[in-house]
Amino acid sequence: MVIRTGSDPARVLREAGLRATPQRLAIVREVLERNHPTAGEVFEAVRLEFPTMGLGTVYATLNMMSERGLLNVLPVSDAVRFDANIQPHANLICNQCGSIVDFDDCDDVLAQLRERTSAGAGFAFAAEHIDLYGTCARPRRPPRTS
Amino acid sequence: MVIRTGSDPARVLREAGLRATPQRLAIVREVLERNHPTAGEVFEAVRLEFPTMGLGTVYATLNMMSERGLLNVLPVSDAVRFDANIQPHANLICNQCGSIVDFDDCDDVLAQLRERTSAGAGFAFAAEHIDLYGTCARPRRPPRTS
DNA sequence: TTTACTGCAAAGGGTTTGCATGAGG
DNA sequence: CCTCATGCAAACCCTTTGCAGTAAA
């Protein structure tokens, strides 16, 4: 079971052994609606609806969901970002505007890569993290500050 | 010009517009001899030779070298790691022992991946960051604590 | 009712910054 | 000599931890 737009978030959480609190449902919604947000970005968004929400709670929830396999973790330079797409995939990261979009049209190439690692040096493949940096077709300002 | 075992580090630094101080040469040596070290690991090693060395100096040097294209930056979960191999390549990261080894036997596959990104959505490729997680042939204890 | 989650505050750790001193070219 | 690098300390920011109160199941 995965979380995605259209699925029942409460059910997904409970199947993973997590309680479906209103705060958590809001966190799930923001992760789905936003573009690979950081914990801080989720916090800012959810706080509009739940002013008493604590940043620690956001971290606890996102980390819990990652441990249960509901989210992918993307360590980028400045902070950790979370992705509801738990399928192995590459990310296209724009150097101009900082956008991160999933690049799904390369499953066959990634499959080759995995096979190659098993063949070379007896490496038992488990997971991958693939970021491709460049400039996207329509970079929105502002250019990234980092 | 790249830094690698056998090349003249002082010359590489000066060609990049950096001064070749004894501290910097020691930092370069540690980056070459160690396995994708963090700034802290470089600091601990260089401090044996230069007891007055400051951690801030190590960060300044490594960041400067990264900006000049002498080092690759690897943001991993816990800290940033530095790599003297500036050729595009994949990293094999062992979940058991934390070792990071360059995986060079996949240049053709990575080339395919780059072409594919240009074809898809007009993304202008610039750089890549590819980590493959799994278990290496001979994991040395201890298993990673994180 | 029981267990897990929330909220809050404080601490932790990697990284950056500021500035005076000192050394490289 | 002038510029850049060093060394030291403090600040920064993301993230984690601890604990008492609260809500989910």
Side-chain angles (χ1 to χ4, degrees):
Chain A
M1 199 64 187
V2 298
I3 56 175
R4 65 167 177 278
T5 313
S7 66
D8 179 9
R11 195 177 144 220
V12 177
L13 285 172
R14 278 190 279 262
E15 284 187 4
L18 303 176
R19 289 185 181 171
T21 67
Q23 291 93 330
R24 286 190 169 172
L25 295 176
I27 290 173
V28 169
R29 175 168 41 75
E30 293 302 330
V31 171
L32 284 173
E33 289 182 357
R34 292 179 177 274
N35 184 44
H36 304 79
T38 64
E41 289 166 359
V42 171
F43 171 62
E44 289 301 330
V46 173
R47 190 160 61 153
L48 300 176
E49 188 179 353
F50 297 89
T52 60
M53 166 75 69
L55 182 54
T57 301
V58 175
Y59 274 102
T61 299
L62 292 173
N63 288 339
M64 187 69 75
M65 291 177 68
S66 303
E67 286 171 15
R68 306 295 171 98
L70 264 39
L71 295 179
N72 254 343
V73 173
L74 283 77
V76 288
S77 51
D78 51 337
V80 172
R81 295 182 173 274
F82 296 88
D83 188 356
N85 183 0
I86 56 174
Q87 292 287 83
H89 68 280
N91 297 298
L92 298 182
I93 304 180
C94 180
N95 289 326
Q96 295 297 316
C97 69
S99 73
I100 306 176
V101 308
D102 294 351
F103 183 53
D104 297 308
D105 299 340
C106 58
D107 292 351
D108 52 335
V109 178
L110 298 188
Q112 279 184 59
L113 196 56
R114 283 176 222 126
E115 290 171 19
R116 202 68 72 84
T117 61
S118 304
F123 188 84
F125 174 85
E128 66 200 3
H129 176 184
I130 299 181
D131 295 335
L132 300 164
Y133 295 88
T135 308
C136 68
R138 247 174 276 89
R140 301 154 301 182
R141 268 154 293 149
R144 60 190 329 190
T145 53
S146 63
Chain B
M1 199 65 186
V2 298
I3 55 175
R4 64 167 178 278
T5 312
S7 65
D8 179 9
R11 196 178 143 220
V12 178
L13 284 172
R14 278 191 279 263
E15 283 187 4
L18 302 176
R19 289 185 179 167
T21 67
Q23 291 93 331
R24 284 190 171 172
L25 295 177
I27 290 173
V28 169
R29 176 169 39 75
E30 294 302 331
V31 172
L32 283 173
E33 289 183 356
R34 293 179 177 274
N35 184 45
H36 304 80
T38 64
E41 288 165 1
V42 172
F43 171 62
E44 289 300 331
V46 174
R47 191 158 61 153
L48 300 177
E49 188 178 353
F50 297 89
T52 62
M53 166 74 70
L55 182 54
T57 301
V58 175
Y59 273 103
T61 299
L62 293 172
N63 288 339
M64 187 69 74
M65 293 178 66
S66 303
E67 285 170 17
R68 306 296 172 97
L70 264 39
L71 295 179
N72 254 342
V73 173
L74 283 78
V76 289
S77 50
D78 51 339
V80 172
R81 294 182 173 274
F82 296 87
D83 188 357
N85 183 358
I86 57 174
Q87 292 287 81
H89 68 279
N91 296 298
L92 298 182
I93 304 180
C94 180
N95 289 326
Q96 296 296 317
C97 69
S99 72
I100 304 178
V101 308
D102 294 352
F103 182 54
D104 297 307
D105 299 339
C106 58
D107 292 350
D108 52 333
V109 178
L110 298 188
Q112 279 185 58
L113 195 56
R114 284 176 221 124
E115 290 169 21
R116 202 68 73 84
T117 61
S118 304
F123 188 83
F125 174 86
E128 65 199 5
H129 177 183
I130 300 182
D131 294 335
L132 300 165
Y133 295 88
T135 307
C136 70
R138 246 174 279 88
R140 300 154 302 183
R141 268 154 293 148
R144 59 190 328 189
T145 53
S146 62

